[in-house]
Structures are given as structure tokens and as C-alpha cells.
Amino acid sequence: MSGMDAKDVARWFGRYLDTYAACARRDCEFAELMKYYAVPLLISSDEGVVSLDGEDAIAATVLGQIGGLRAAGYHHTEVVNDEVTVLNLTSALYRGTFARVGQSGEQLSPATITYLITDGDDGQKGLRIAVLAAHGA
């Protein structure tokens, strides 16, 4: 087993952001975005912690987030800064500060989020987001 590599994780995460933006713009099928999430998925924010234990729950939550961004005129996300910390052979932390950009190029809402990225052998081979932790304001 070769294990996690910080550069590979960063490249993978860039593809995730591109897919997320494409789905928000309705330029790709939502099923493509779902491939990036582990089941279960843990989401933590100032509002609380929720464990999404099935694909339907994950889809509903992610589609809710995307709906809010669409309403705000979202177009894509730019990485302001990021850092990857490899934890072990099967997991890494990706911490990023992001600028969400609207269709006219205006910044909509900045966000800092830490993701636990895992590479499991449990039927979900390949990198997946297992935890999404939004940082408080």
C-alpha cells in the first residue's frame, strides 16, 4: 500500500471543487458529485453536528447547500489558501479557505473548512470526504 500523498490529495480536491461548481451550474450530473462523499458523512458547523448515514441524506443536504448557492448567483469556488496534512496511510486533512465567486465575478461568501479525506477498502475504494467541518466565524 503506497498511502496518502499530499500533492495527490490536493489535486483530487481541486477536481472535487470543479465538479461541485459544475453541478451547481447544472453543467454535470449530480451523481458525479456524489462520488466524492463517503457514507456515512459527518458534517460539523456552529449549528451542530450531523451524521448522514445514507446516500439519500447526503444528496438532500448537498443539494440544499447548492440550492442556496444557486440562489445567490454562485459560479465557482477559488482556493484562497490550503494545507494538506497526511495523517496516516488511509487519511489526510485538507484545510482550505475558499472564496465563492458569483457569475459576475463578485465574491459571495468566504468559508474556511477542514475535510477529512479517506481512502477506504469498504466498498468505497478511492478518496472520499468523510468529515466536513466548517470553521466558526
Side-chain angles (χ1 to χ4, degrees):
M1 178 180 244
S2 62
M4 289 282 190
D5 176 79
K7 289 180 183 178
D8 289 342
V9 171
R11 278 191 292 273
W12 176 88
F13 197 85
R15 289 191 301 273
Y16 161 72
L17 287 179
D18 290 344
T19 303
Y20 189 96
C23 285
R25 293 189 308 266
R26 296 182 173 94
D27 291 342
C28 80
E29 295 295 322
F30 186 70
E32 290 302 308
L33 183 59
M34 287 297 294
K35 295 176 184 176
Y36 287 89
Y37 300 107
V39 179
L41 173 66
L42 184 70
I43 298 178
S44 173
S45 69
D46 286 340
E47 288 78 42
V49 178
V50 62
S51 178
L52 305 173
D53 59 0
E55 288 188 7
D56 290 343
I58 295 169
T61 299
V62 174
L63 283 170
Q65 293 170 344
I66 285 175
L69 290 171
R70 284 177 179 161
Y74 173 83
H75 185 266
H76 69 280
T77 299
E78 294 177 357
V79 177
V80 176
N81 61 57
D82 65 349
E83 178 181 358
V84 176
T85 302
V86 173
L87 300 174
N88 52 45
L89 290 174
T90 62
S91 61
L93 293 175
Y94 179 100
R95 177 187 166 120
T97 299
F98 308 98
R100 296 176 179 144
V101 180
Q103 296 169 354
S104 304
E106 74 281 9
Q107 184 171 328
L108 301 175
S109 58
T112 299
I113 303 171
T114 297
Y115 300 83
L116 174 64
I117 311 297
T118 60
D119 187 1
D121 291 327
D122 58 353
Q124 297 185 45
K125 192 80 172 141
L127 300 183
R128 302 274 181 137
I129 297 169
V131 176
L132 183 159
H135 295 236

